[in-house]
Amino acid sequence: MGSVGIEQTQVPNSTFQLKGETSDTNSADFVPRGPLKTKINFFTDPADGAKPWNYVEIPTDGSPQRNYSHEEREVEILDIRGREQDFYLDKDAFQVFKVQDSAEEEFVDDESIKQKYYPEVVDLLLKNVPGAYKVTLFDHTIRRSEKGAPRAPVTRCHVDQTARSTEWRVRLHDPEQAEELLKGRYRIINVWRPLNGPVQASPLGFGSADTTMDKDLVPVEHRYPHRTGETAAVRFHEGQQYYYWSGMQNDERLMLKCFDNKDGVGQRVPHTAFVDSRSPPGCRGRESIEVRALVYG
Ligand code: OGA
Ligand code: FE
């Protein structure tokens, strides 16, 4: 991975600041770091025992967006900053990188994002995902925290895809070669970054692949206006370990694997934004982009 320059000073309350950062927890510039305890929303079964579903777009007729609920559970979230090298895709299903600044700066125009930012994402994946020889980007989402933003940070623990929906994605986005590609190794990986880092609020938490059991993952019918996909909701169980990468910067990238058809490697990371009670008054609301990729090989 690209080297991640870490210079940090330890302060008594078990958190830390990077060089040059304020340790005044009330300053609007304060960046929360280190481990914390917080509450995350986990799946609970539909009362009627029906198969879980949700609509991607909020129904305009007032009917419910989903037929299942969530419960808040307290989890401890560890900070991977300072031990980035311990985690990698084939073991943990997530990995972090430091990169050059992006050619795209505005992130307001989809065409410009596709022209300027997509090639950087393809390059990062081809260079760093073991065995990757072909990458197909199929989607991106920009999230902003202000009221009325079309997409906000997600506060429900989930995995974006399942085995079934990954296969559907291969057929949808690489139709000509799908039969051949499905015989080899294929993965879906999200590449996540902030747009207004360092992240001070609503950071993204992600679960360790090996402490998340397959039985914790519940397939959910994911209803778009024109087609239906499948995601997974996440049940709480004691022992699921969560992480985040504190104060992520604009030149840092988090890869989150959503599915891998190879056995015996880290398969997928559950993830969700969470509330950090240490976010200082007056800090920036988090803005981010995630790009979704089919990765072959
Ligand atoms: C993702 C995701 C949520 C968020 O990148 O797949 O679920 O709050 N992101 O950024
Ligand atoms: Fe997601």
Side-chain angles (χ1 to χ4, degrees):
M1 73 175 262
S3 72
V4 181
I6 309 294
E7 267 192 271
Q8 61 188 51
T9 47
Q10 208 70 37
V11 294
N13 60 356
S14 92
T15 181
F16 60 89
Q17 276 70 56
L18 298 194
K19 202 168 178 221
E21 285 180 358
T22 179
S23 57
D24 173 0
T25 55
N26 279 315
S27 160
D29 293 328
F30 178 73
V31 180
R33 298 190 185 278
L36 77 154
K37 285 196 170 133
T38 190
K39 288 187 171 133
I40 283 185
N41 292 310
F42 291 95
F43 173 87
T44 57
D45 289 289
D48 60 2
K51 184 173 171 358
W53 50 258
N54 76 279
Y55 287 99
V56 178
E57 289 177 13
I58 300 170
T60 47
D61 61 0
S63 57
Q65 190 175 2
R66 58 179 59 80
N67 71 339
Y68 58 96
S69 318
H70 291 84
E71 55 172 353
E72 283 191 326
R73 301 295 290 254
E74 190 175 76
V75 295
E76 184 181 38
I77 305 187
L78 303 178
D79 188 358
I80 66 165
R81 193 163 297 275
R83 48 180 295 220
E84 290 85 353
Q85 319 280 343
D86 293 353
F87 304 95
Y88 52 95
L89 283 170
D90 270 353
K91 173 171 72 74
D92 303 289
F94 69 85
Q95 192 166 337
V96 298
F97 301 88
K98 185 165 168 64
V99 299
Q100 301 292 313
D101 281 342
S102 177
E104 171 63 58
E105 287 172 4
E106 309 287 324
F107 288 96
V108 287
D109 177 60
D110 282 344
E111 273 321 300
S112 171
I113 290 170
K114 284 179 189 165
Q115 263 177 35
K116 292 185 184 160
Y117 185 54
Y118 273 31
E120 297 173 0
V121 175
V122 170
D123 191 53
L124 186 73
L125 289 161
L126 285 175
K127 286 197 175 122
N128 294 288
V129 178
Y133 68 89
K134 174 181 166 70
V135 168
T136 305
L137 305 186
F138 61 89
D139 181 31
H140 70 264
T141 304
I142 293 191
R143 302 182 189 278
R144 302 190 198 272
S145 296
E146 80 257 8
K147 264 209 165 70
R151 304 289 289 268
V154 174
T155 54
R156 284 177 284 274
C157 198
H158 68 279
V159 183
D160 295 25
Q161 261 90 22
T162 63
R164 277 157 34 107
S165 58
T166 303
E167 185 179 328
W168 298 338
R169 285 282 179 192
V170 172
R171 294 186 189 284
L172 189 63
H173 304 295
D174 288 305
E176 317 263 278
Q177 297 161 277
E179 290 309 329
E180 270 318 294
L181 292 170
L182 288 167
K183 288 180 193 154
R185 184 175 183 186
Y186 55 95
R187 292 162 257 198
I188 288 183
I189 297 176
N190 294 359
V191 179
W192 193 101
R193 59 159 286 189
L195 299 176
N196 65 346
V199 172
Q200 297 176 284
S202 305
L204 195 71
F206 36 96
S208 88
D210 59 346
T211 62
T212 303
M213 307 296 145
D214 283 338
K215 68 175 173 48
D216 304 335
L217 301 175
V218 185
V220 176
E221 220 175 271
H222 198 58
R223 300 177 178 170
Y224 297 93
H226 304 297
R227 60 179 280 272
T228 296
E230 190 173 71
T231 64
V234 183
R235 268 184 223 286
F236 173 81
H237 99 230
E238 219 52 77
Q240 275 171 8
Q241 181 60 61
Y242 283 85
Y243 298 101
Y244 78 121
W245 197 21
S246 71
M248 267 186 82
Q249 296 277 7
N250 294 355
D251 62 356
E252 294 181 329
R253 304 284 178 273
L254 165 64
M255 286 187 194
L256 298 167
K257 190 159 52 174
C258 298
F259 178 77
D260 191 334
N261 72 333
K262 182 175 169 143
D263 288 335
V265 296
Q267 299 274 315
R268 68 287 175 267
V269 256
H271 52 273
T272 177
F274 61 87
V275 174
D276 189 336
S277 62
R278 305 165 303 180
S279 300
C283 71
R284 292 179 307 278
R286 182 253 285 183
E287 299 181 1
S288 60
I289 182 168
E290 74 238 25
V291 179
R292 300 189 165 77
L294 283 159
V295 181
Y296 299 103

